[in-house]
Amino acid sequence: MNKLWAMFFAGAVVLVWHAPILAKESIEERLANMERRIQYLEERVAAQDKVIVEKDRQLATLSRHEDESSNSIEIGGLIEVEAAYVDPSRTDEESDVAVATVELGIAGELTDMASAEVVLLYEEDDTPLEVDVATMTFTPGPWVITAGQFFVPFGVFESNFISDSMTLELGETRESALQFGFESGGMRGALYAFNGDLDEDGESEIDSFGAAVGYSIEGEGTEFGLNLSYISDIGDSDSLQELVTDNLGDEGVYDSQVGGWSASAQLRLGNLSLLTEYLGATEDFEMGEMEFDGEGAEPSSYMVEAALDFELAGMPATFAIGYQETDEAAALELPEERFLVGLSVEMMEGIALAVEGAFDEDYGDPDTNDYSGGDADIVTFQLATEF
């Protein structure tokens, strides 16, 4: 035991005797470590400064490039899901839910005067995924030059309803075309030419053309617009060309072009807006191309709408009523008259919910006209989002 205490005491004496030396060595080591760390941090800061300078140089170069070329790309899309209930007068009730529309658009601004656009479209049970629009546009000053596949400016087709207007059903025309136009102040105009899908006398050439002119003016709480358009062959519209082609058959020849014209007006007074449009053929089709009551048909369509914007539970909303009619368009399976009422609500930015009631009256007596599908009542709900 005495030996153990002696060893403990001796160790304590040694520790006390050398304590200042150990403390001194510990401080010196810490100072050396601090110096090394400071040097490391200085080297890191210097390296980061070099990176920052390089990034600034790259950003400046990119900024100059953007200023010179205005190069930018925008991507947007639209999804519409619809649930519909149909009560026809001659057949059983029907209902369905469908992805009515999917659109994906890519627009690129190449320079201050050049841009390009591609729009992909899918419609369930109607249109497989396809290129809907593909254009290059050049805008030197007030002039606008467009080349590619697009909807030519025949008709305007504005509407507050879910369903397409019957003027659109009759006249919408998508073609690969060249278009030359202008925009200045409230005036705008366009001339275009294309090779239609219906070849007159069997000759495939650029022999279809059209023109459009419009004027719009805006004031405090008011807007007014007027549009006129003409196409050398309304038979090239998306709906008519299919009908005429089926009627002609494989060996049929399209005898002559049938012109078409359209006029529309838009007026807004505060929260109230009015729309009206007429679109139709300028003469009869041949009997073997499109018929009505045993003669060549001269199809036309007319629409008028009134809409009121208001707030519903703090959300922007629109209530609309409308009337549409067609003439000599039974072969297109369009009703003779249609009454519409609709309500749409923007629930949040980019998302809207709408409901529409459509009441169709068909041509003639459904017991004697084979083409008549009878009257129908249709209720449609739509949930749509844009991004």
Side-chain angles (χ1 to χ4, degrees):
M1 179 67 67
N2 293 334
K3 185 177 181 181
L4 181 62
W5 277 106
M7 292 176 61
F8 175 80
F9 179 75
V13 170
V14 171
L15 181 61
V16 173
W17 181 264
H18 290 283
I21 298 175
L22 294 174
K24 181 179 180 181
E25 291 177 352
S26 179
I27 293 173
E28 289 176 350
E29 290 176 357
R30 286 200 297 270
L31 289 175
N33 290 335
M34 291 177 64
E35 289 176 357
R36 286 194 296 269
R37 183 166 180 78
I38 290 172
Q39 182 179 359
Y40 170 75
L41 292 174
E42 288 175 347
E43 292 174 353
R44 290 266 302 188
V45 170
Q48 290 175 355
D49 288 342
K50 291 181 181 180
V51 173
I52 292 171
V53 170
E54 177 63 19
K55 293 296 183 183
D56 288 342
R57 184 190 67 78
Q58 294 176 359
L59 289 173
T61 302
L62 180 60
S63 178
R64 287 195 300 271
H65 176 71
E66 289 180 346
D67 292 340
E68 292 172 359
S69 66
S70 300
N71 196 325
S72 63
I73 294 178
E74 294 184 0
I75 299 176
L78 168 68
I79 300 175
E80 294 176 342
V81 179
E82 294 179 3
Y85 167 80
V86 183
D87 184 12
S89 62
R90 300 178 63 185
T91 58
D92 295 334
E93 301 173 359
E94 299 178 2
S95 60
D96 194 14
V97 177
V99 179
T101 306
V102 177
E103 283 186 354
L104 180 63
I106 304 173
E109 186 177 356
L110 308 177
T111 71
D112 290 339
M113 295 189 298
S115 61
E117 180 183 16
V118 176
V119 178
L120 305 179
L121 173 67
Y122 168 79
E123 296 172 314
E124 186 176 346
D125 301 327
D126 190 13
T127 305
L129 183 63
E130 66 175 14
V131 176
D132 195 38
V133 174
T135 61
M136 294 179 289
T137 303
F138 306 91
T139 55
W143 309 108
V144 182
I145 303 170
T146 304
Q149 177 177 281
F150 56 94
F151 293 92
V152 300
F154 176 57
V156 176
F157 313 133
E158 291 188 7
S159 179
N160 294 286
F161 293 103
I162 297 173
S163 58
D164 294 333
S165 68
M166 291 197 290
T167 52
L168 182 149
E169 295 280 6
L170 176 60
E172 184 178 58
T173 306
R174 186 186 67 178
E175 293 288 344
S176 294
L178 298 174
Q179 178 175 298
F180 181 79
F182 74 91
E183 294 182 5
S184 180
M187 290 293 300
R188 60 191 176 277
L191 295 171
Y192 57 90
F194 60 93
N195 181 359
D197 294 313
L198 295 177
D199 297 324
E200 187 176 8
D201 297 327
E203 298 179 357
S204 179
E205 56 186 5
I206 301 176
D207 58 355
S208 298
F209 61 91
V213 63
Y215 175 75
S216 60
I217 186 173
E218 295 185 16
E220 187 175 352
T222 63
E223 297 179 21
F224 174 74
L226 181 65
N227 302 275
L228 299 172
S229 59
Y230 171 82
I231 193 169
S232 64
D233 191 7
I234 194 174
D236 278 318
S237 74
D238 295 349
S239 58
L240 282 174
Q241 68 173 249
E242 182 178 354
L243 173 66
V244 173
T245 299
D246 290 343
N247 288 339
L248 291 175
D250 295 335
E251 299 180 359
V253 177
Y254 189 51
D255 289 331
S256 61
Q257 295 185 340
V258 176
W261 73 283
S262 172
S264 65
Q266 306 86 37
L267 174 65
R268 173 175 288 276
L269 299 172
N271 294 335
L272 178 66
S273 62
L274 301 173
L275 303 172
T276 185
E277 183 170 35
Y278 171 88
L279 185 146
T282 59
E283 58 183 310
D284 293 345
F285 281 87
E286 296 293 331
M287 279 285 294
E289 297 169 353
M290 183 177 179
E291 300 178 9
F292 181 77
D293 279 349
E295 299 179 354
E298 185 179 334
S300 64
S301 180
Y302 168 77
M303 59 83 73
V304 60
E305 291 181 15
L308 179 66
D309 296 332
F310 63 101
E311 283 197 359
L312 181 63
M315 297 177 291
T318 300
F319 174 77
I321 57 174
Y323 170 77
Q324 302 176 13
E325 67 177 33
T326 65
D327 188 29
E328 300 188 17
L332 293 170
E333 299 181 355
L334 293 175
E336 186 174 19
E337 293 182 298
R338 174 175 289 171
F339 300 88
L340 300 114
V341 59
L343 174 67
S344 62
V345 180
E346 185 178 357
M347 299 186 297
M348 60 186 67
E349 185 175 358
I351 299 179
L353 179 65
V355 60
E356 170 190 293
F359 311 96
D360 292 352
E361 293 187 9
D362 214 332
Y363 282 87
D365 184 351
D367 295 328
T368 59
N369 294 334
D370 294 336
Y371 51 73
S372 175
D375 302 341
D377 300 331
I378 307 168
V379 178
T380 306
F381 293 87
Q382 182 190 81
L383 182 62
T385 180
E386 292 182 337
F387 55 91

